[in-house]
Amino acid sequence: MKPYAEMTKEELESLRAQLKAEYREYQGKGLSLNMARGKPCKEQLDLSMGMMDVLGSNDDLTCEDGTDCRNYGVLDGIKEAKELIGDMMENPIDSIIIYGNSSLNVMYDTISRSMTHGVMGSTPWCRLDKVKFLCPVPGYDRHFAITQYFGIEMVNVPMTPTGPDMDLVERLVASDEAVKGIWCVPKYSNPQGISYSDETVRRFARLKPAAKDFRIYWDNAYGVHHLYDHDQDHLIEILAECKRAGNPDLVYKFASTSKISFPGSGLAAIATSPNNMEDIKAQLAIQTIGHDKVNQLRHVRFFGDIHGLVEHMRLHADILRPKFEIVIDTLESELGGLGIGTWTTPKGGYFISFDSLDGCAKAIVTKAKKAGVVMTGAGATYPYGRDPHDSNIRIAPTYPSQEDLRVAMKIFALCVKLVSINKLLEAAAQAGSDPAPRAQ
Amino acid sequence: MKPYAEMTKEELESLRAQLKAEYREYQGKGLSLNMARGKPCKEQLDLSMGMMDVLGSNDDLTCEDGTDCRNYGVLDGIKEAKELIGDMMENPIDSIIIYGNSSLNVMYDTISRSMTHGVMGSTPWCRLDKVKFLCPVPGYDRHFAITQYFGIEMVNVPMTPTGPDMDLVERLVASDEAVKGIWCVPKYSNPQGISYSDETVRRFARLKPAAKDFRIYWDNAYGVHHLYDHDQDHLIEILAECKRAGNPDLVYKFASTSKISFPGSGLAAIATSPNNMEDIKAQLAIQTIGHDKVNQLRHVRFFGDIHGLVEHMRLHADILRPKFEIVIDTLESELGGLGIGTWTTPKGGYFISFDSLDGCAKAIVTKAKKAGVVMTGAGATYPYGRDPHDSNIRIAPTYPSQEDLRVAMKIFALCVKLVSINKLLEAAAQAGSDPAPRAQ
């Protein structure tokens, strides 16, 4: 089929009638399919059920160093958990603090602490007139929600296939003392699945911030979440690169096992420099006596070591790979060559990013919903929920079954077609000519 | 033996020589005994080992309402956990939010949120010139550490046998808009083991704060931590009393299972009014996707219901009762009638509070340490670590074995005697007369 933009008004109208009939048929089925959130599916959760057996009432819940995991104490995590998570994060154990179950909570706490107490002795942000964060877009809605909650002004930075637009990042960071941070999902980014190039990471490590309390919020949520065994993205380790660049304190690195063991019952962690660590621990010691060491021990006993964890991730990949392929294949077969959308083909992570013609995303998501397919809300991938092009849609293929996903993606593609035709016809009507708008 | 204050200089000097010899003997034994922190002992931890068996790989980790506890979601806790903790806290389930493993963390977060976002729409505390908290003394050092960390001015309020001095509380709360909160451990208080009288609770519920954003921080840490089966203190439930008094939003109530199941691996919770709840949830939804539901389910499956939990607490009591009795009996037999110290005899909780002659506490703790007995630092029970009388010492009898505790208490009593004699002789030397200072 030829690109929609090259079709005549009559061709588009005839096509629309046919697609509408298809759409109505799906609507009649009363479907309820969900591609909204990056949730693991039941089969993935089942992979970790063995974790429920590694600590029994006859087991010794004592660490190698003699710590009884059942009692109070140990602020920054038991040594064996720091080793496992350190290996996962590619950082030495003395740069790691193990937290509770949520890396989002760690990020929230990091910003909250900066608001009330500043960063390594800087003025608390709550006393400043203006605090800004750079937000590579499209990005992760829950990141943006934190900065919005604290009244931090968010500045969009466009993503490129190699990461954020680093010319812009360098300029903004160097010129504006109000810029205190940047949100990054550097590997298999949310939602595009882009991994930052070596050059991008090097430029991050070499930033020259106007603000001494500027930090990179490096949310390496998908560090070991590959889809393929050999065809994997590789990311330069940022802490080591910052140290080499003479900027050891520039970065907070976050990770968790939420999408490795059980979401909500995993381990979250931060890795950072000794100076930042000291700053954080001074606060952490006031906030808590310690996090859940029994759960730390449970994870260590279940995975054994980093090799065990990597092998476990292969099992996740076996479940997720076909789902990603269903999405990509459906997009290819249904929308390929039509000029009404582009999409990413990630090698890992939890999402695929779709870009429609300008001004179509909201309508597509609404139309899909009316046929029983729930997508992430259009705009969610932008600060304040405002996608200036109204074009980006995040596809989360992990939770539905393959069968459901096939149907959901068919419906999604159908909605893209219908909304795009409407858009093209409207544009043509306004221009008083046959449609030929720019496909992006 | 007669009161030290009635002894002559010669009698005291002779006694001191004899006690010093005893002390040196203990020193020679190279002991290492710890009565510093309120930590459960190994036997107490063993009581909950069954919790490691209730969720196995063949068990269904699904809630009654169909929620898969292994996946993301459920911000405020699974229903069955809210029911168990609600029964424990004596509050309906819709007034409960289940958090992670630490009620201290919940309190910290509550103050942190008030600093950055205020309370139900009030001015964020970080924008105010002055914020004050009332601190009943002696009290819990970790409470004071939180308020100190946030630069909140702490105002001492003396404890009485029925709770804080309510005349003073009422006056300060009603007259000073800077007073935003008060720290309370209302039942088996830390460190005195005092439970607030009915009148005290009623007066709390009827406070008329100058500040709209004043809240009572009601840390009911020892709500079910009785030592005896029938001789238990009873506390009027504060949320209900506030509601009856027309002040439904006046209180945040905190609790946890830290000293019920495993410290560090338990459940913490807040109970509060619908208005406060809305305020809290708006923040919580930004901070996290949810807390550890698997651990919530584990607690529910292990305890079954509130009766199961209460029966479990009887087993704790069986372990702790003899330890409390060792402390009280030793204090009675060693120090009774000497006029050099007073102490409390709690019916529950984790501590016994000792008051020496004025100006002796630091010296007693130091002397005990030199004989191998670690106590909570003198002054720790007061804001800023400053006990104006230098007299209060917290005794934590739960962690050591009975055998160790017997020895530790003997040494402690010995140190009290020695330091008191020194004090009395000093005072006599200064007064140029036989010693007769006031014993408190």
Side-chain angles (χ1 to χ4, degrees):
Chain A
M1 193 171 276
K2 63 182 172 184
Y4 281 14
E6 293 172 17
M7 289 188 184
T8 63
K9 189 179 163 210
E10 289 67 30
E11 283 175 318
L12 286 173
E13 280 170 346
S14 146
L15 183 58
R16 179 164 65 176
Q18 178 193 325
L19 294 169
K20 271 191 174 169
E22 268 185 65
Y23 180 80
R24 272 193 297 273
E25 203 170 309
Y26 279 120
Q27 269 193 316
K29 293 186 181 176
L31 298 167
S32 175
L33 307 167
N34 196 310
M35 294 194 293
R37 301 299 317 179
K39 280 172 79 165
C41 63
K42 188 184 170 305
E43 292 71 25
Q44 288 180 272
L45 301 175
D46 289 343
L47 297 176
S48 299
M49 281 306 282
M51 208 164 63
M52 294 293 96
D53 296 333
V54 292
L55 300 183
S57 60
N58 294 316
D59 288 309
D60 184 1
L61 272 58
T62 307
C63 292
E64 286 159 23
D65 69 1
T67 303
D68 188 338
C69 286
R70 304 171 303 174
N71 219 328
Y72 283 116
V74 189
L75 189 62
D76 53 359
I78 63 173
K79 183 161 171 280
E80 38 272 72
K82 288 203 273 187
E83 190 170 328
L84 176 67
I85 300 299
D87 280 347
M88 180 182 95
M89 295 178 78
E90 304 178 63
N91 296 111
I93 68 167
D94 55 5
S95 66
I96 305 273
I97 300 173
I98 311 276
Y99 280 78
N101 71 327
S102 160
S103 59
L104 191 74
N105 200 329
V106 185
M107 294 178 236
Y108 176 100
D109 282 5
T110 304
I111 291 191
S112 185
R113 180 181 58 246
S114 306
M115 293 299 295
T116 55
H117 289 80
V119 178
M120 281 173 52
S122 78
T123 305
W125 296 353
C126 69
R127 297 219 194 109
L128 302 175
D129 289 337
K130 176 75 86 180
V131 175
K132 297 180 188 171
F133 254 60
L134 306 186
C135 300
V137 290
Y140 179 33
D141 55 353
R142 290 189 191 270
H143 284 166
F144 304 152
I146 293 175
T147 22
Q148 183 170 3
Y149 180 72
F150 283 102
I152 293 171
E153 184 180 316
M154 294 182 276
V155 180
N156 290 1
V157 173
M159 281 290 285
T160 77
T162 57
D165 175 342
M166 290 308 293
D167 290 342
L168 186 55
V169 169
E170 285 167 351
R171 197 164 64 243
L172 291 170
V173 166
S175 63
D176 189 350
E177 215 189 331
V179 172
K180 303 296 190 190
I182 180 169
W183 288 118
C184 294
V185 182
K187 195 164 174 182
Y188 304 133
S189 70
N190 178 351
Q192 295 170 300
I194 288 171
S195 297
Y196 294 7
S197 71
D198 291 354
E199 189 194 329
T200 297
V201 178
R202 289 198 191 99
R203 289 175 73 175
F204 263 111
R206 285 161 181 75
L207 285 176
K208 303 200 184 332
K212 276 199 168 55
D213 49 354
F214 170 88
R215 293 291 180 274
I216 303 165
Y217 284 63
W218 197 258
D219 181 8
N220 202 11
Y222 309 108
V224 294
H225 302 59
H226 309 285
L227 289 173
Y228 303 95
D229 198 30
H230 290 98
D231 192 12
Q232 301 180 346
D233 290 349
H234 178 263
L235 190 72
I236 292 185
E237 202 294 303
I238 185 74
L239 252 75
E241 186 61 24
C242 284
K243 205 171 166 187
R244 286 190 290 264
N247 285 325
D249 301 327
L250 198 58
V251 66
Y252 299 127
K253 185 174 168 184
F254 307 94
S256 81
T257 68
S258 291
K259 292 174 178 97
I260 298 174
S261 57
F262 295 143
S265 305
L267 308 180
I270 199 170
T272 195
S273 70
N275 286 333
N276 285 327
M277 188 80 96
E278 193 185 331
D279 203 35
I280 294 168
K281 281 191 187 169
Q283 175 249 323
L284 198 58
I286 305 294
Q287 187 178 25
T288 185
I289 304 176
H291 296 101
D292 186 343
K293 295 186 298 301
V294 171
N295 203 34
Q296 292 174 22
L297 190 67
R298 185 178 288 119
H299 278 73
V300 170
R301 296 262 171 100
F302 180 60
F303 291 114
D305 59 19
I306 185 62
H307 179 63
L309 190 144
V310 163
E311 289 294 301
H312 185 80
M313 292 314 292
R314 289 163 61 117
L315 304 176
H316 279 290
D318 289 342
I319 295 169
L320 295 183
R321 202 183 314 111
K323 295 189 177 183
F324 274 75
E325 288 170 357
I326 286 169
V327 171
I328 300 296
D329 291 351
T330 311
L331 290 171
E332 282 295 346
S333 63
E334 294 291 326
L335 303 177
L338 300 187
I340 54 173
T342 58
W343 53 89
T344 55
T345 55
K347 296 179 192 160
Y350 262 62
F351 303 103
I352 289 159
S353 178
F354 180 86
D355 278 298
S356 67
L357 297 180
D358 279 16
C360 289
K362 275 205 172 72
I364 292 167
V365 169
T366 303
K367 201 172 251 322
K369 193 169 184 185
K370 284 181 183 165
V373 176
V374 178
M375 314 287 301
T376 309
T381 53
Y382 280 76
Y384 312 106
R386 287 198 297 259
D387 173 359
H389 296 286
D390 184 25
S391 68
N392 187 251
I393 298 171
R394 186 179 78 165
I395 300 173
T398 58
Y399 190 72
S401 68
Q402 292 189 28
E403 198 179 346
D404 283 355
L405 195 58
R406 267 189 206 98
V407 179
M409 282 307 299
K410 286 267 190 193
I411 294 173
F412 173 75
L414 187 57
C415 295
V416 172
K417 290 177 189 172
L418 275 166
V419 171
S420 302
I421 291 175
N422 288 342
K423 192 78 188 172
L424 292 167
L425 287 172
E426 268 171 42
Q430 277 171 12
S433 69
D434 258 19
R438 175 182 67 88
Q440 68 163 39
Chain B
M1 194 169 275
K2 64 182 171 184
Y4 281 16
E6 294 171 16
M7 289 187 182
T8 62
K9 190 179 163 210
E10 288 66 33
E11 283 175 318
L12 286 173
E13 279 171 347
S14 147
L15 182 57
R16 179 164 66 178
Q18 178 193 326
L19 295 169
K20 269 190 176 171
E22 270 186 64
Y23 180 79
R24 271 193 298 273
E25 203 171 309
Y26 279 119
Q27 269 193 316
K29 292 187 182 175
L31 298 168
S32 174
L33 307 168
N34 196 309
M35 293 194 294
R37 301 298 317 179
K39 281 172 78 166
C41 63
K42 189 183 171 304
E43 291 71 25
Q44 288 180 271
L45 301 174
D46 288 343
L47 297 175
S48 298
M49 282 306 284
M51 208 166 63
M52 295 293 95
D53 295 334
V54 291
L55 299 183
S57 60
N58 293 316
D59 289 308
D60 185 0
L61 273 57
T62 307
C63 293
E64 285 159 24
D65 69 1
T67 302
D68 189 338
C69 286
R70 304 171 303 175
N71 219 328
Y72 284 115
V74 188
L75 189 61
D76 53 359
I78 63 173
K79 184 162 169 283
E80 38 272 73
K82 287 202 273 188
E83 191 170 325
L84 176 66
I85 301 298
D87 281 346
M88 181 182 96
M89 296 178 77
E90 304 177 65
N91 297 109
I93 69 167
D94 56 4
S95 66
I96 305 272
I97 300 174
I98 311 275
Y99 280 77
N101 71 328
S102 159
S103 59
L104 191 75
N105 199 331
V106 185
M107 294 178 233
Y108 176 100
D109 282 6
T110 303
I111 291 192
S112 184
R113 179 181 59 248
S114 306
M115 292 300 295
T116 56
H117 289 79
V119 177
M120 282 174 52
S122 79
T123 304
W125 296 354
C126 68
R127 297 219 195 109
L128 302 175
D129 288 337
K130 176 75 85 182
V131 175
K132 297 180 189 172
F133 255 59
L134 306 187
C135 300
V137 289
Y140 179 33
D141 54 354
R142 292 188 190 269
H143 285 165
F144 304 153
I146 292 175
T147 24
Q148 183 169 3
Y149 180 72
F150 282 103
I152 294 171
E153 184 181 316
M154 294 182 277
V155 180
N156 291 1
V157 173
M159 281 289 285
T160 78
T162 57
D165 175 343
M166 289 309 292
D167 290 341
L168 185 56
V169 169
E170 285 168 350
R171 196 164 64 242
L172 291 170
V173 166
S175 63
D176 189 349
E177 216 188 330
V179 172
K180 302 298 189 189
I182 180 168
W183 287 119
C184 295
V185 182
K187 196 164 173 181
Y188 304 134
S189 69
N190 179 349
Q192 295 168 301
I194 289 171
S195 297
Y196 293 9
S197 70
D198 291 355
E199 189 195 328
T200 297
V201 177
R202 289 198 191 99
R203 289 175 75 176
F204 263 112
R206 285 159 181 78
L207 284 177
K208 302 200 183 333
K212 277 199 168 55
D213 49 355
F214 171 88
R215 292 292 179 275
I216 302 164
Y217 285 63
W218 197 259
D219 181 7
N220 202 10
Y222 309 108
V224 294
H225 302 60
H226 309 286
L227 288 173
Y228 303 96
D229 198 28
H230 290 97
D231 191 13
Q232 300 181 347
D233 289 350
H234 179 263
L235 190 71
I236 293 184
E237 201 294 302
I238 184 75
L239 250 76
E241 186 61 24
C242 284
K243 206 172 167 187
R244 287 190 289 265
N247 286 324
D249 301 328
L250 197 60
V251 66
Y252 299 128
K253 185 174 168 184
F254 307 94
S256 82
T257 68
S258 291
K259 292 176 178 92
I260 299 173
S261 58
F262 294 144
S265 304
L267 308 179
I270 198 170
T272 194
S273 71
N275 285 332
N276 285 326
M277 188 80 96
E278 193 184 331
D279 202 36
I280 294 169
K281 280 191 187 170
Q283 174 249 323
L284 198 57
I286 305 295
Q287 187 179 24
T288 185
I289 304 175
H291 295 102
D292 186 343
K293 295 186 297 300
V294 171
N295 204 33
Q296 292 173 22
L297 191 67
R298 184 178 289 119
H299 278 73
V300 171
R301 298 261 171 99
F302 180 60
F303 291 114
D305 59 18
I306 185 62
H307 178 63
L309 190 143
V310 163
E311 289 294 303
H312 185 80
M313 292 313 292
R314 289 162 59 116
L315 304 177
H316 279 289
D318 289 342
I319 295 169
L320 295 184
R321 202 183 315 110
K323 295 189 177 183
F324 275 74
E325 287 170 358
I326 286 169
V327 172
I328 300 296
D329 291 351
T330 311
L331 290 170
E332 282 295 346
S333 64
E334 295 290 326
L335 303 179
L338 301 187
I340 54 172
T342 59
W343 53 90
T344 56
T345 54
K347 295 179 192 161
Y350 262 61
F351 303 103
I352 290 159
S353 179
F354 180 87
D355 277 298
S356 67
L357 296 181
D358 279 16
C360 290
K362 275 205 172 73
I364 292 168
V365 169
T366 303
K367 200 172 249 327
K369 193 170 183 184
K370 284 183 183 162
V373 177
V374 179
M375 314 287 301
T376 310
T381 55
Y382 279 76
Y384 312 105
R386 288 198 297 261
D387 173 358
H389 296 286
D390 185 24
S391 68
N392 188 249
I393 298 172
R394 186 179 79 166
I395 300 173
T398 59
Y399 190 72
S401 67
Q402 292 188 28
E403 197 179 347
D404 283 356
L405 195 58
R406 265 188 208 99
V407 178
M409 281 308 298
K410 285 266 191 195
I411 294 172
F412 174 74
L414 187 57
C415 295
V416 172
K417 290 177 188 172
L418 274 167
V419 172
S420 301
I421 291 175
N422 288 341
K423 192 79 190 171
L424 291 168
L425 287 172
E426 269 170 40
Q430 279 171 11
S433 70
D434 258 18
R438 176 183 66 88
Q440 68 163 39

